[in-house]
Amino acid sequence: MDGGTARLLPDLDRKRAWLLTVEGAPQSYVDLDDPRCLEFEYAQRLGHLLDLAGPSGPLDVLHLGGGGLTLPRYVTATRPGSRQRVVEADEGLLDLVAELLPLPPASGIELLCGDARAVLDTEPAGSADVIVADVYGGARVPAGMTTVSCARAADRVLRPDGLWAANLADAAPFAFLGSQLATFGTVFRHLCVVAEPAVLRGRRFGNILLLAGQRELPLGALARRTAGDPFPARVVHGAELDGLAADAQPVRDGAAVPSPQPPEGAFSLGSLGPPDSPGAPG
């Protein structure tokens, strides 16, 4: 693989389910018999958002970051007829997934090998209902995905009622998360974050979803769904969200840096099982 050594590990409890790892870190979980199965906690939360993104029916979704194509498969299963574009920088990973974890026939999923940030700039205006940004170089979000210009590009591609959903990772004192709230807050009217209480309380490093849109977000429904997950999460908005942003400044292109390096073991195979453990990025 261009981004490191990839392996597919079978799930002994499910006949055609696989864990995709890259450089030993869990990257995606795919059940070919049940694409609605979202094993990673952050993927479950993104699944809730996709369910709530609009009335039942097809969506146009742009996925920045592909991995095992877990979420595109989920959308195909839950919203038949959806049109989806998936951008993945690692051509070798795309080939592996296409060969060993094939997509269902007539899935409506288009795969594109390329740089997510560059592709975002070329997408047609008003072409997406949802953009899912799950872009990692190794275990870090690339600098180009963290800037005001990226937020503006996303806003251009989204329809007026469209939603941006980014899978980030950070820990207290949330300097990176604060910078992203300030950055996307310069472009989008409504923001919230979704994370496990342990992460929000500063107990550990973990996944944090940043959601943004020009219309009001489905906060109540999203909070009810995430609270009922096996590993419950909280939806943070309003004054509490302002507290997370603190005095952070928007990130401009010349000052952009990748997200923080996770501590060793934060996204390991062992993190999939115990409570208060993050799902893997990517």
Side-chain angles (χ1 to χ4, degrees):
M1 302 298 105
D2 302 335
T5 302
R7 298 178 62 198
L8 283 173
L9 307 177
D11 184 337
L12 300 181
D13 295 325
R14 291 174 176 261
K15 186 176 181 181
R16 294 208 305 156
W18 300 86
L19 175 68
L20 171 66
T21 69
V22 177
E23 292 298 291
Q27 213 268 3
S28 299
Y29 180 93
V30 175
D31 187 336
L32 294 175
D33 291 329
D34 183 9
R36 297 171 188 253
C37 175
L38 301 176
E39 185 75 8
F40 293 165
E41 289 92 337
Y42 88 88
Q44 293 166 11
R45 294 161 200 157
L46 285 169
H48 295 322
L49 179 73
L50 289 162
D51 291 344
L52 298 169
S56 59
L59 290 174
D60 289 338
V61 185
L62 174 62
H63 299 265
L64 303 177
L69 310 178
T70 303
L71 286 168
R73 298 172 200 268
Y74 178 83
V75 173
T76 295
T78 57
R79 291 180 177 268
S82 292
R83 293 180 299 182
Q84 303 184 79
R85 279 168 61 80
V86 181
V87 184
E88 170 58 55
D90 192 330
E91 186 173 10
L93 181 59
L94 276 179
D95 292 342
L96 176 72
V97 170
E99 178 183 358
L100 299 180
L101 302 175
L103 292 168
S107 66
I109 300 172
E110 177 186 0
L111 305 181
L112 175 64
C113 183
D115 177 79
R117 181 67 184 83
V119 171
L120 182 62
D121 281 338
T122 65
E123 287 293 288
S127 59
D129 297 305
V130 182
I131 299 175
V132 177
D134 193 9
V135 185
Y136 278 79
R140 305 175 73 183
V141 178
M145 295 298 301
T146 70
T147 64
V148 172
S149 63
C150 178
R152 288 174 177 158
D155 185 43
R156 182 188 62 81
V157 173
L158 286 168
R159 297 185 174 123
D161 61 349
L163 298 173
W164 166 270
N167 177 34
L168 309 177
D170 200 5
F174 302 115
F176 174 67
L177 175 61
S179 76
Q180 293 308 284
L181 290 170
T183 297
F184 281 80
T186 65
V187 176
F188 291 96
R189 294 176 58 197
H190 300 278
L191 301 174
C192 75
V193 300
V194 185
E196 290 182 27
V199 174
L200 294 170
R201 289 196 297 265
R203 287 177 49 192
R204 63 171 181 79
F205 189 96
N207 293 92
I208 303 172
L209 299 187
L210 169 60
L211 312 181
Q214 301 297 9
R215 50 105 159 179
E216 290 189 4
L217 305 175
L219 299 174
L222 188 60
R224 289 189 292 273
R225 288 186 176 222
T226 57
D229 282 338
F231 297 103
R234 290 186 56 231
V235 176
V236 179
H237 58 95
E240 187 177 0
L241 191 70
D242 294 339
L244 287 174
D247 297 323
Q249 298 299 309
V251 178
R252 310 293 173 179
D253 284 336
V257 296
S259 64
Q261 181 70 38
E264 186 174 354
F267 297 125
S268 65
L269 281 173
S271 75
L272 287 179
D276 282 345
S277 63

